[in-house]
Amino acid sequence: MDDNFDALIADIERKKSEEERRIYSERTLKEAYNPRNVGKLADPSGRARITGPCGDTMQIDIRVEAGRISDCKFITDGCGASIACGSVVTELAKGERIEKALEVTEKDVLRVLGGLPAENVHCAALAVKTLRAAIGDYQCRSRNRSASEPEISA
Ligand code: FES
């Protein structure tokens, strides 16, 4: 009985992974199963949380030092493709100047992943949109900080 059950589970697992390999690129599966930069930053320079049209949410935190994104983390309750996109978009942004990170596009994410099925392209859009919003939040915080700093007269 136990042997039959184990064989059944092994068969289901094998079919599932065959199906995934048929649909997703090797890189997408790698990023989805071993994502980089997962988590939240304590006291981030910028943070954004966006819910996409599918109802899934992504949050990205960035730390900015000397105009560069020194650290970047994401969390999502979305699909495997969104996990892969969060992993890639945070890697693309890390170490970049904020102006450069703002130029990261959905196409860049798709290129790194080797493409996604049409029904998952919005997952890349969600990741890019969230990164841009986190940078926007950082820029907004910076403006508010400099507006509230007292002017020093000579
Ligand atoms: Fe919702 Fe991928 S982010 S389906």
Side-chain angles (χ1 to χ4, degrees):
M1 172 71 179
D2 273 357
D3 283 352
N4 282 346
F5 185 70
D6 288 347
L8 178 68
I9 294 294
D11 191 44
I12 291 169
E13 292 287 338
R14 185 181 49 76
K15 285 185 178 140
K16 183 177 160 238
S17 88
E18 276 173 14
E19 178 73 357
E20 282 178 341
R21 282 200 301 272
R22 196 179 59 72
I23 298 172
Y24 298 106
S25 69
E26 202 176 307
R27 180 68 184 265
T28 301
L29 293 175
K30 186 176 157 219
E31 299 287 348
Y33 282 108
N34 297 292
R36 293 166 289 171
N37 311 313
V38 174
K40 300 177 186 179
L41 292 177
D43 194 23
S45 311
R47 166 175 286 168
R49 183 185 300 131
I50 294 183
T51 299
C54 59
D56 295 331
T57 301
M58 184 173 292
Q59 175 175 302
I60 292 184
D61 289 352
I62 57 170
R63 172 147 5 267
V64 180
E65 288 169 317
R68 228 171 250 286
I69 297 183
S70 58
D71 204 0
C72 189
K73 295 217 178 283
F74 83 99
I75 50 172
T76 183
D77 62 358
C79 63
S82 74
I83 296 170
C85 292
S87 177
V88 167
V89 88
T90 50
E91 273 300 295
L92 289 173
K94 243 161 85 168
E96 290 295 344
R97 297 200 63 78
I98 53 168
E99 307 78 32
K100 264 288 191 224
L102 275 171
E103 289 173 9
V104 171
T105 65
E106 190 182 308
K107 270 192 186 155
D108 295 326
V109 174
L110 294 173
R111 183 178 35 76
V112 172
L113 290 177
L116 282 173
E119 61 272 23
N120 287 117
V121 169
H122 73 271
C123 313
L126 176 63
V128 169
K129 210 170 160 184
T130 311
L131 172 66
R132 288 182 182 163
I135 295 171
D137 180 51
Y138 159 72
Q139 290 171 323
C140 190
R141 291 184 196 200
S142 305
R143 271 194 298 275
N144 290 343
R145 234 189 337 266
S146 50
S148 65
E149 274 167 12
E151 272 185 41
I152 301 169
S153 51

